[in-house]
Amino acid sequence: MLFTSSGFLVFLAALLAVYAITPKKYRWFILLVGSLTFYAFAGPQFLLYIGATIVITYICTMQVAKLRKKRDEAIEQTTEKQQKKAIKERAKKVSKRWTAVCLVLILGILAAVKYTDFVLANANAVIGVFGGVRRFGLLGLALPMGISFYTFQTVGYVIDVFREKAEIQKNPLKLALFVSFFPQVVQGPISRFGELSKTLYSGTRINRHDFARGANRILWGFFKKLVIADRLWPALVVLTSYPEEFQGIYYLLAIGMYAVILFCDFTGGIDITIGVAELFGVKLPENFNRPFYSKSIQEYWQRWHMTMYMWFRDYVFYTVAASKKMLRFSKATKKIVGEAFSKRLPVHITLVWVWFLTGLWHGATWNFIAWGLANGFVIMASLELAPLYNRFSKKFPTLHSSLPYRGFQIFRTFWLMNMIRSFDIYDGVRNTFGMMRSVFTNFSLSQFLTVGITELTLPTADYISAGVGLMIVFWVSWLGRGEKDYRERLFEFKWPLRYLATGIILFMTLVMGAYGFGFDARQFIYNVF
């Protein structure tokens, strides 16, 4: 069920009506029923996958809860410090086993569904290289909606439970709601149990202010998705489907257009997600913070898909980089690479590993793996060159802090990110590198000035609509700078201006949005990750 479909709006209105008339203490259950109903629309068979994740997580975390109870009782019955320490270590060891079992099983479901065919296809390729005849048959398993998102959210909960940073949810139905909460199950954001549980089960009464904020955020998401992302998508399909015809300057047009489409598609979906949650009084974390103003790739990832970045940082990067094995490895390489670099080596190795996993998480193709590793290597190079940057800023402090130089950094980061992101849209790693090379070998400005964009299937009116919409998006982005988001600034306007601004966005969405009879509604890009 598409967020931007009329069916979803009917579903949302019905759920809100039932939620509003339900007693406060049972409202969380209405959200659970609604979430499972929503998920069933994607395919009833997919409920088995998310159901298995919920059951496994509940059983394993309840075993951890029992161990903690026994541990605390045993500690109360003794006064010896050594014995208390032994009890804690014993309980932690068993808890670690249950946590490991849980993680292997729920990540195993994700791996089996998402990566089995990728592994088999590559095994067949290796067999072919060595002259083998027999081949593995591909399973062709359908990918359940949002499985990467709800799996990572559940993994975070399990690890937080083990680290005793989150309370154990002993009600299996409430745990099921945390895993399956319908607005965020499509494409995130990836929430933490400790934060989400504060409002998810509260049964907050729908009030006028929250409803207005939520509806405004939903409308803004519809605007970005329908007026810009879906309107430009057909042109991008033409550009990337015929790479032999559209090279050089058209490659730059494609990756620039994809940056706009992906931003409006993904942030538009997140806007709808956060807005829908607010209608029910549930607070979800923000996932973007004006990423196109970033001055480096590292800063970009601190602003783009922030919950994913923080997930990998907290649960993978810190865990691996600070592990005892990595510290021993650092000491062992001191004589070979020098003391200074040996201290940085664990960070670099972990960076490559994290970005390899990030690419694999996005998709089971070599393109996404190459995309992830490219991000990792660029960040690693930036860390190594940091001393040079610091010396430059000290030597030329006025230049370094000037507006033109900051503009250059933003421009450089934007296009470097676009080139890395081109692995998303072209078929095959070799083909993607070929398109990058075409900027230098087949750059024809005269062809672009002659043919322009007339062969990309879109009428001029569509480009104008998307262009006007994009100007509004950047204006709202500027309006939302600082600690206040754009809605808080909007609500500070006097009511005629506030309603006029909202009315313009609604009017443009209805008139310029890509929807209606004969239009092939397109799912959100991150729905397939």
Side-chain angles (χ1 to χ4, degrees), residues 296-340:
S296 68
I297 298 295
Q298 188 170 9
E299 183 187 353
Y300 174 89
W301 280 109
Q302 292 169 350
R303 292 169 171 263
W304 175 282
H305 205 347
M306 296 186 295
T307 57
M308 184 205 71
Y309 173 84
M310 290 186 287
W311 191 96
F312 275 104
R313 181 196 66 188
D314 296 344
Y315 299 120
V316 182
F317 182 82
Y318 288 154
T319 302
V320 176
S323 65
K324 292 180 180 179
K325 289 182 179 179
M326 193 61 75
L327 294 176
R328 286 198 295 268
F329 176 77
S330 176
K331 290 181 180 179
T333 58
K334 188 183 298 184
K335 293 181 179 179
I336 302 172
V337 299
E339 183 176 357

Side-chain angles (χ1 to χ4, degrees), residues 194-231:
E195 291 299 317
L196 182 57
S197 60
K198 293 176 182 177
T199 54
L200 185 61
Y201 311 121
S202 62
T204 303
R205 182 181 178 182
I206 300 173
N207 61 70
R208 183 179 176 181
H209 181 263
D210 287 344
F211 189 88
R213 282 175 56 85
N216 190 283
R217 190 74 181 258
I218 293 170
L219 175 60
W220 185 233
F222 269 66
F223 176 81
K224 287 195 282 188
K225 170 70 170 169
L226 298 179
V227 176
I228 304 173
D230 285 2
R231 183 63 70 191

Side-chain angles (χ1 to χ4, degrees), residues 297-299 301-302 308-309 312-314 316-322 326 341 343-360 369-386:
I297 298 295
Q298 188 170 9
E299 183 187 353
W301 280 109
Q302 292 169 350
M308 184 205 71
Y309 173 84
F312 275 104
R313 181 196 66 188
D314 296 344
V316 182
F317 182 82
Y318 288 154
T319 302
V320 176
M326 193 61 75
F341 188 73
K343 291 180 179 179
R344 300 195 300 273
L345 198 56
V347 173
H348 295 332
I349 293 173
T350 309
L351 266 177
V352 173
W353 172 239
V354 165
W355 280 104
F356 168 80
L357 292 177
T358 304
L360 198 60
I369 292 173
W371 167 87
L373 291 175
N375 276 284
F377 283 123
V378 170
I379 294 173
M380 186 168 62
S382 297
L383 292 175
E384 282 300 305
L385 294 172

Side-chain angles (χ1 to χ4, degrees), residues 215-320:
N216 190 283
R217 190 74 181 258
I218 293 170
L219 175 60
W220 185 233
F222 269 66
F223 176 81
K224 287 195 282 188
K225 170 70 170 169
L226 298 179
V227 176
I228 304 173
D230 285 2
R231 183 63 70 191
L232 292 176
W233 182 258
L236 180 67
V237 171
V238 173
L239 284 169
T240 55
S241 298
Y242 303 98
E244 65 283 351
E245 296 181 26
F246 298 103
Q247 298 187 359
I249 193 170
Y250 283 100
Y251 163 75
L252 297 178
L253 175 64
I255 61 177
M257 188 179 291
Y258 181 61
V260 171
I261 291 172
L262 182 62
F263 174 78
C264 292
D265 185 283
F266 195 9
T267 62
I270 293 297
D271 287 329
I272 296 172
T273 293
I274 293 175
V276 169
E278 286 180 341
L279 296 180
F280 297 96
V282 178
K283 183 175 177 57
L284 295 178
E286 292 291 342
N287 217 22
F288 295 90
N289 180 22
R290 305 195 302 157
F292 290 153
Y293 291 92
S294 303
K295 297 186 288 295
S296 68
I297 298 295
Q298 188 170 9
E299 183 187 353
Y300 174 89
W301 280 109
Q302 292 169 350
R303 292 169 171 263
W304 175 282
H305 205 347
M306 296 186 295
T307 57
M308 184 205 71
Y309 173 84
M310 290 186 287
W311 191 96
F312 275 104
R313 181 196 66 188
D314 296 344
Y315 299 120
V316 182
F317 182 82
Y318 288 154
T319 302
V320 176

